[in-house]
Amino acid sequence: MTSTSHHDERIAKMTFASVYPHYVTKIEKKGRTKEELYQVIEWLTGFYEDRVQKLIEEKVTFEEFFERAKLNSKANLITGVICGYRVEEIENKLTQQVRYLDKLVDELAKGRKMEKILRSQ
């Protein structure tokens, strides 16, 4: 994927707290729960629910969010298109990590089984 540095900078400076409510709305509209969302976030980042809430309160940027995360070793198995980009082709590491999270949330909202979302099978 060819991405502009402006696009990557914009994503890096965006706060997790500004995007999180959109994740919740998206998954709840499709009958999924916050608990499932937390499970997905924990799988990708290692952050438990209380840590996620603290990061929201701190208004950390996505850059800070992923600097603190311990990315799952299976994250590279996340493939497909999200927001018009093929996640496995994104060159900027941080932008790719944010799109990994977007992709997982999208899969959750689309009703995919948790085992598949968490790359267990």
Side-chain angles (χ1 to χ4, degrees):
M1 168 203 150
T2 54
S3 153
T4 65
S5 61
H6 173 72
H7 173 80
D8 294 332
E9 287 173 30
R10 194 171 57 91
I11 288 176
K13 300 301 176 212
M14 193 180 305
T15 64
F16 176 74
S18 70
V19 177
Y20 177 77
H22 299 287
Y23 291 156
V24 172
T25 300
K26 183 174 189 169
I27 60 114
E28 286 182 340
K29 273 186 187 177
K30 300 293 185 169
R32 302 306 285 258
T33 65
K34 276 189 186 178
E35 290 73 26
E36 290 173 307
L37 177 59
Y38 285 126
Q39 188 177 355
V40 165
I41 294 170
E42 180 186 337
W43 178 86
L44 181 64
T45 65
F47 298 144
Y48 293 100
E49 180 180 346
D50 58 339
R51 182 74 167 135
V52 171
Q53 288 304 314
K54 188 164 176 22
L55 294 168
I56 290 170
E57 290 167 16
E58 289 178 27
K59 295 187 177 359
V60 298
T61 63
F62 270 115
E63 185 172 31
E64 294 165 323
F65 182 86
F66 280 102
E67 281 175 358
R68 298 179 190 186
K70 185 179 185 304
L71 209 64
N72 190 298
S73 62
K74 292 185 178 181
N76 64 327
L77 299 177
I78 302 168
T79 60
V81 177
I82 190 74
C83 301
Y85 300 105
R86 184 156 284 288
V87 293
E88 62 271 24
E89 295 175 2
I90 297 173
E91 294 173 5
N92 180 284
K93 181 181 171 187
L94 175 61
T95 301
Q96 185 178 52
Q97 292 170 342
V98 173
R99 295 303 182 203
Y100 281 161
L101 181 55
D102 291 343
K103 182 69 176 165
L104 295 177
V105 171
D106 192 54
E107 290 176 359
L108 185 62
K110 287 182 176 177
R112 197 163 193 207
K113 292 183 178 174
M114 195 59 80
E115 306 83 54
K116 298 256 187 211
I117 295 170
L118 304 183
R119 303 331 195 236
S120 301
Q121 294 182 341

